[in-house]
Amino acid sequence: MAARREVEIVALHVSPVHAYEGRPSDGPRPDPEPVSRDEVVVRAGLGIVGDRYFNHPAHRNAAVTFITAESLAPWPVDPLVARRNVVVREFDVDSLARGTVFRLDSGDGPVRFEVHRPASPCAWMDTVIAPGAFKALRGKGGIRCVPLDDGVLRSGTAELTMVST
């Protein structure tokens, strides 16, 4: 039987553009619309509807990114600044191995995700979070996943089930 527990989806991020391009000293590109969402629509094998990596061939196996809120806790920043799609609390995503499948259900039915690789931080973290954040987030920058089901994720309490490791 799979282990189930409660976690919190702290923030959901969807952006049609990549804001952290170029030189950090020039500052991030402004988003054409607010990135914070109360809910997101997930499509199996494609990602999050409206996100810059949705159905992008180079990111098909890494279209949805997760980070744990605890990784950002040392800094008083908006959790969306890390530009990960799903920010969760009480779920150590960085400890998950490639190929691990987990399921999140925030009230609209379960959505499974398969871990494919780490979501490594970039030098922009020193600019948008704080000096030293880039180095401090190594190994804690989150994960990149492929969604295995269509569904909806909502901010708030969710049930997490580890399907396979």
Side-chain angles (χ1 to χ4, degrees), residues 45-47 51-63:
L46 301 175
D51 191 66
R52 64 196 174 280
Y53 295 127
F54 181 79
N55 198 25
H56 191 281
H59 293 278
R60 199 86 25 84
N61 288 333

Side-chain angles (χ1 to χ4, degrees), residues 3 6 22 52 59 75 85 87 103 142 147:
E6 192 173 279
R52 64 196 174 280
H59 293 278
W75 307 281
N85 297 119
V87 182
R103 184 169 52 218

